[in-house]
Amino acid sequence: MGKKCPQCRVWCTDSASRCDCGYDFVSQRRHPLQSGSLPLWLKWALLGGALVTAVAWVVAPMGSPVAWGMVVVFPAGLLEAVGLSGRGELESVFLAPIAWVLYVFLGWALLASSQRRYTLAIFGVLCAMLALNVAGLYGWRLSSETLTGTKALLEFEKGSRRASVDFPFLAHAAMEPMNCVVQRTEAGCEVWNGEQMHTGDQFALAKLFGIAPEQVTIHTLYAGGSFGRRASKDADYVREAASIVLASGTKAPVKMVWLREDDTKGGQYRPMFHHRLEATLTPQGEVSAWRHRLVGQSIAAGSPFESAMVKNGVDALSVEGASTLPYAIPNLQVELHTPKDIGVPVLWWRSVGSTHTAYATEAFLDVLATEAKQDPVAWRLKMLEKHPRHAEVLRLVADKAGWSKPLAKGKKGERRGRGVALHESFGTVVAQVAEVTVARDGSFHVDRVVAAVDCGVAINPDNIRAQVEGSVGFALSAALHGEITLKDGVVEQGNFGDYAPIRIQEMPKVEVHIVPSAAKPSGIGEPAVPPVAPAVANALAAATGRRAWRLPLQTAQFKA
């Protein structure tokens, strides 16, 4: 759900004991200069500063730059030290003393200078530093960031909103566990498999058997769900079956079928990710700056696609959907931190990076719309003027969902809400509106999901609707239940008892509306997955006033 810091109004995770601004959730103590009650050491420091200032005024000529400089030096240094140490960050332990040394040096230079122009220059610098620190106490922050990638921005930001979002590891959990048939023949090798990465498997088997790739024949079969799992970067389960053939020396076909526990515990997972978002609103309710930081493993690393997908250390799969926001935000910065010391194998999972970037961005956008006191749909539309395709999809879903009409009330004690989300992936734009009903104990049901899709020419409309309906069920499974956890390096989940898919009674009514288009066809197997979770989360927030900053969604956080 997350909790809001009463000092800086930033959303923090439920597990956070202290906010970045220094507010302690346990003791409920504020920053010393904003609490109205100064600690004893600070009172003595201020008294000492006052005495030093008084001596400076007596020794130096009245009104001279030296006297004024001493008035500025001490409080500026004090504010800098208190301000830095109040952040609650480890590095502040080192920054605060450095700030003091800097101010003492400047103060000494000011007093020792015999040339008026140097004295005035140093005095000006100190005045500027003091002004910035005083501004910081009132919620203003000076940031110098390369937000656009080419132009440095130096501006004051007041009242920035922040949120942190956590996403777990996810298993693919296809109904059909990993399996295949491999046979060694005189001509080479034959494989019967539900394939997603033919070339990779072909080269892996050729290397294992010591034959040419063209001697490996693959018979592609229907698969009972794949969702990226059969596009293994290292051909893991196919090589396992081939290793059995190689070790036994048999010429007979060998069929290998993993148990559900093998599939869940030995699988490769959607990476765990942490997102931190920060945005600034103008007095008119417009987003003036947006910063998005992501931390998570790279999927492309170690794959045949690494050289093409990873540029300057940035895996395009990790930031897709975050670095390509369609909304008109003048200053946008996306940062990626990719840890390399995590041994959990990761793999693309239906809609890949958009599985987490869509939730983070669309849930945070709803927060900003609420702060700006704007309707979530109308507010998004104002930022989509340069993206008419996205705007058309959003208008269609709002119209078909009856967004402008009041939502029907629930039974006594029930709370109802409606939420929206928009996202583009694989060249397809999808917008969804979700309706939820929340009981007193926090349990909820997703009643209805309305989807609008622009995937270019609708070659097979029935298939498009089927893919969207299936995507809603798949995405809800993850949003409501999906989480892979590890203990002592071992995956704790094993079967559908502790890694549950969505049940039929949890499936909402799904309506699919296709935008007529003459554009080239684009993807439809994955793009309807990303907007589901944020639309549901935004609906829950509308019903309960509580935001979910960690997936899967937990009923306890919505308890009345």
Side-chain angles (χ1 to χ4, degrees), residues 422-478:
L422 170 75
H423 194 76
E424 178 185 0
S425 59
F426 301 93
T428 295
V429 181
V430 180
Q432 293 174 351
V433 170
E435 297 176 4
V436 301
T437 299
V438 188
R440 289 184 181 275
D441 62 359
S443 61
F444 61 89
H445 186 268
V446 182
D447 306 313
R448 180 186 181 213
V449 173
V450 182
V453 180
D454 185 346
C455 57
V457 175
I459 296 175
N460 187 337
D462 189 55
N463 181 56
I464 293 172
R465 293 187 182 93
Q467 286 290 348
V468 173
E469 291 166 354
S471 295
V472 170
F474 184 84
L476 280 178
S477 291

Side-chain angles (χ1 to χ4, degrees), residues 132-154:
L132 295 180
N133 280 281
V134 171
L137 294 179
Y138 289 91
W140 293 80
R141 181 171 59 84
L142 182 68
S143 65
S144 178
E145 304 283 354
T146 310
L147 293 180
T148 62
T150 59
K151 181 180 179 182
L153 172 73
L154 184 65

Side-chain angles (χ1 to χ4, degrees), residues 88-394:
E89 299 176 359
L90 180 62
E91 56 265 34
S92 299
V93 177
F94 305 99
L95 290 175
I98 293 174
W100 272 102
V101 172
L102 173 63
Y103 279 104
V104 170
F105 174 77
L106 289 175
W108 171 82
L110 180 63
L111 293 173
S113 176
S114 59
Q115 297 188 38
R116 183 177 179 83
R117 64 177 182 275
Y118 295 148
T119 302
L120 290 174
I122 298 173
F123 173 64
V125 171
L126 291 171
C127 286
M129 289 181 172
L130 176 61
L132 295 180
N133 280 281
V134 171
L137 294 179
Y138 289 91
W140 293 80
R141 181 171 59 84
L142 182 68
S143 65
S144 178
E145 304 283 354
T146 310
L147 293 180
T148 62
T150 59
K151 181 180 179 182
L153 172 73
L154 184 65
E155 66 171 10
F156 278 109
E157 296 173 358
K158 185 177 181 179
S160 61
R161 279 73 172 172
R162 279 175 276 179
S164 296
V165 199
D166 292 307
F167 300 90
F169 288 112
L170 291 176
H172 299 78
M175 290 296 105
E176 179 185 5
M178 296 302 99
N179 62 87
C180 65
V181 174
V182 178
Q183 183 179 19
R184 189 76 163 91
T185 65
E186 295 297 330
C189 168
E190 289 192 59
V191 181
W192 289 262
N193 184 33
E195 279 286 348
Q196 278 192 285
M197 192 173 286
H198 303 71
T199 305
D201 290 347
Q202 185 182 40
F203 275 75
L205 293 180
K207 183 178 180 180
L208 185 66
F209 285 117
I211 58 180
E214 55 267 26
Q215 291 178 274
V216 178
T217 301
I218 296 178
H219 304 278
T220 303
L221 309 177
Y222 289 117
S226 297
F227 317 121
R229 180 60 185 89
R230 290 181 180 269
S232 175
K233 294 183 290 185
D234 56 3
D236 59 344
Y237 69 94
V238 177
R239 284 192 300 108
E240 181 177 335
S243 297
I244 297 171
V245 171
L246 192 64
S248 64
T250 181
K251 296 295 183 179
V254 172
K255 181 175 182 178
M256 183 200 70
V257 181
W258 279 9
L259 299 175
R260 174 61 55 188
E261 285 75 12
D262 297 330
D263 197 73
T264 304
K265 289 182 176 291
Q268 304 190 41
Y269 310 104
R270 194 285 305 272
M272 173 186 287
F273 259 86
H274 175 76
H275 292 239
R276 173 163 291 187
L277 301 99
E278 181 178 7
T280 303
L281 291 174
T282 66
Q284 294 74 35
E286 298 174 349
V287 181
S288 60
W290 174 288
R291 180 166 60 193
H292 189 169
R293 292 172 173 167
L294 304 87
V295 182
Q297 289 171 264
S298 167
I299 294 175
S303 77
F305 310 107
E306 181 174 5
S307 59
M309 290 184 173
V310 181
K311 300 295 184 183
N312 299 318
V314 176
D315 184 347
L317 297 175
S318 296
V319 297
E320 61 180 356
S323 59
T324 55
L325 281 180
Y327 303 105
I329 300 174
N331 301 296
L332 174 69
Q333 175 172 292
V334 178
E335 303 173 9
L336 174 66
H337 302 272
T338 306
K340 294 182 171 59
D341 57 348
I342 301 176
V344 179
V346 294
L347 192 62
W348 17 73
W349 189 92
R350 194 175 186 180
S351 70
V352 203
S354 293
T355 60
H356 49 91
T357 58
Y359 186 94
T361 55
E362 287 296 304
F364 190 52
L365 277 165
D366 240 51
V367 170
L368 299 180
T370 302
E371 293 281 350
K373 297 180 174 56
Q374 300 281 329
D375 174 78
V377 170
W379 192 68
R380 284 173 169 84
L381 285 172
K382 286 195 296 185
M383 294 190 289
L384 291 172
E385 291 181 358
K386 294 184 179 180
H387 290 271
R389 186 177 177 221
H390 295 71
E392 184 179 6
V393 173
L394 185 56

